[in-house]
Amino acid sequence: MRLPLVALLAGALVVPAISLAGAPPAKTAATIDVQVDDYFFRPAYARIEPGDSVTWLWRGQDVHNVTSRKGATEAFASDDLLPGAQFSRSFPTPGRYAYHCTLHPEMRGVVQVGPDTIAPELTKAKLKVGKQSVRVSFALDEASKVSLSVASVKKPKKVLRRAGGKKLEDGRRSLSVKRAGLAPGRYRATLTAKDPGANKDTVKITFKLPAPTGG
Ligand SMILES: [Cu+2]
């Protein structure tokens, strides 16, 4: 059988192509989409690798922007944009990029570039014993799941009251548990924050419930 020269050349070219296909593919940068809606970002926490990009897609009815917050590894900002718009940014530098919409500051999101190794911080924790409840107020520096548990100092493993466990945005927050049914005595409140990267912070506060005053 005779093959035309062109076919022979084509056959010769196929060989290196096959060996290339067997090599591991070069890692390509990925792009993650984040919806900008009324009045939230979804997903609010995007975890990417260095060099990946995020494209924010404007949905909803209102005007929004994407603006980095204080403490972000690098600053960035979109214009105030209308529904249908989009804004992209690549993130070559590992770090945490918290952002919000300056028109609606309750709209908050985080782009985590590389491993999330920064633990959340619980600060300014204060406990207040009220007539009906025991309330712990605190400051949280990144969105985390926060839970509050109360146990007697004598039996620290037996949790008597529990609250929270849901995601809270950063800022000044509080959680409270019912006081009714807790006997006078010494107790310990444990406040735990867990961020989306499973980093944790814990604060313990010991307090006393006085015996009810007569009359
Ligand atoms: Cu907005």
Side-chain angles (χ1 to χ4, degrees):
M1 185 168 79
R2 283 188 63 196
L3 287 169
L5 183 60
V6 173
L8 284 171
L9 281 173
L13 286 171
V14 165
V15 177
I18 288 166
S19 62
L20 273 178
K27 195 193 169 292
T28 51
T31 299
I32 283 190
D33 290 346
V34 174
Q35 269 183 61
V36 182
D37 214 324
D38 309 329
Y39 295 86
F40 56 87
F41 296 102
R42 183 151 46 216
Y45 181 91
R47 163 82 170 76
I48 60 173
E49 296 302 327
D52 290 351
S53 298
V54 175
T55 297
W56 284 270
L57 303 163
W58 269 247
R59 306 277 186 245
Q61 311 290 317
D62 213 339
V63 176
H64 302 290
N65 64 55
V66 172
T67 304
S68 59
R69 296 174 59 197
K70 206 177 142 211
T73 303
E74 287 168 3
F76 61 94
S78 74
D79 294 328
D80 294 346
L81 296 172
L82 291 162
Q86 64 179 59
F87 171 68
S88 292
R89 188 187 195 275
S90 76
F91 291 86
T93 310
R96 180 190 298 278
Y97 300 75
Y99 63 90
H100 61 172
C101 166
T102 58
L103 306 174
H104 312 101
E106 74 276 16
M107 290 174 64
R108 293 175 183 187
V110 170
V111 177
Q112 174 65 43
V113 182
D116 183 348
T117 55
I118 305 166
E121 268 192 89
L122 290 164
T123 52
K124 296 174 184 160
K126 267 187 197 158
L127 185 142
K128 196 180 166 201
V129 175
K131 276 186 179 169
Q132 308 293 329
S133 64
V134 175
R135 183 171 176 269
V136 177
S137 60
F138 51 92
L140 181 65
D141 76 337
E142 70 165 290
S144 304
K145 280 184 183 171
V146 184
S147 60
L148 170 66
S149 64
V150 172
S152 158
V153 167
K154 283 181 188 165
K155 289 184 179 174
K157 286 191 178 165
K158 192 182 175 196
V159 173
L160 302 169
R161 295 285 184 278
R162 202 186 286 279
K166 287 183 188 158
K167 186 190 153 191
L168 299 178
E169 292 297 340
D170 55 328
R172 291 278 194 149
R173 306 287 160 209
S174 70
L175 289 172
S176 45
V177 295
K178 263 191 197 167
R179 181 184 172 178
L182 292 176
R186 287 170 64 76
Y187 292 88
R188 183 163 297 137
T190 304
L191 192 64
T192 302
K194 189 174 171 186
D195 75 9
N199 305 295
K200 280 187 191 176
D201 191 22
T202 299
V203 170
K204 290 177 192 287
I205 304 173
T206 303
F207 65 100
K208 200 175 158 185
L209 289 182
T213 49

